[in-house]
């Protein structure tokens, strides 16, 4: 897996947009101006949100992820080689769905109808 694979997965999600908010080559994927995935400038993997801190801790203990630096404890960093592509795709989609569900109802409706 690599940056291009993750960017392709993220770009296929409805209303997903990429930016580099911190400069220096970061890819921050957002929906409705809220981030759901981030690839750091070092390109070590992709950070995604999990449903809870307990889920994040379980992934870390299983060796599927590590703590995402600079993010809340419910976020994890998934190394490119830690999981198969289908699992990575599911983790990105879960993160997207979690963020999407917290958007204002009007924003969600606009994205869903697009």
């Amino acid at each position: 897996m690599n940056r291009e694979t993750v960017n392709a997965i993220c770009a296929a999600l409805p209303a997903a947009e990429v930016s580099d908010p911190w400069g220096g080559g970061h890819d921050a994927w957002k929906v409705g101006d809220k981030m759901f995935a981030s690839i750091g400038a070092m390109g070590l993997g992709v950070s995604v949100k999990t449903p809870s801190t307990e889920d994040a801790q379980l992934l870390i203990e299983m060796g599927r992820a590590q703590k995402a630096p600079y993010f809340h404890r419910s976020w994890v960093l998934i190394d490119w080689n830690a999981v198969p592509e289908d699992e990575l795709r599911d983790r990105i989609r879960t993160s997207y769905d979690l963020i999407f569900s917290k958007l204002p109802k009007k924003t969600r409706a606009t994205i869903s109808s697009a």
Side-chain angles (χ1 to χ4, degrees), residues 29-49:
W29 283 94
K30 299 178 181 182
V31 59
D33 289 328
K34 302 292 182 186
M35 188 167 50
F36 68 89
S38 177
I39 304 170
M42 301 284 290
L44 302 175
V46 60
S47 295
V48 294
K49 183 167 179 52

Side-chain angles (χ1 to χ4, degrees), residues 17-93:
E17 298 179 346
V18 68
S19 65
D20 186 1
W22 307 288
H26 297 82
D27 293 336
W29 283 94
K30 299 178 181 182
V31 59
D33 289 328
K34 302 292 182 186
M35 188 167 50
F36 68 89
S38 177
I39 304 170
M42 301 284 290
L44 302 175
V46 60
S47 295
V48 294
K49 183 167 179 52
T50 65
S52 68
T53 56
E54 292 82 7
D55 287 308
Q57 188 59 39
L58 181 61
L59 289 171
I60 292 167
E61 289 172 6
M62 291 172 50
R64 307 303 269 183
Q66 56 189 299
K67 183 186 178 314
Y70 312 109
F71 286 90
H72 184 269
R73 292 182 317 140
S74 61
W75 284 72
V76 294
L77 174 64
I78 301 174
D79 182 287
W80 304 128
N81 302 312
V83 298
E85 186 174 335
D86 60 335
E87 183 178 339
L88 179 63
R89 187 177 301 277
D90 288 343
R91 300 231 179 270
I92 291 170
R93 183 60 196 228

Side-chain angles (χ1 to χ4, degrees), residues 79-111:
D79 182 287
W80 304 128
N81 302 312
V83 298
E85 186 174 335
D86 60 335
E87 183 178 339
L88 179 63
R89 187 177 301 277
D90 288 343
R91 300 231 179 270
I92 291 170
R93 183 60 196 228
T94 297
S95 182
Y96 173 91
D97 290 343
L98 288 166
I99 299 301
F100 182 83
S101 72
K102 299 296 183 187
L103 295 175
K105 189 174 185 178
K106 190 174 186 178
T107 303
R108 290 194 317 262
T110 301
I111 291 169

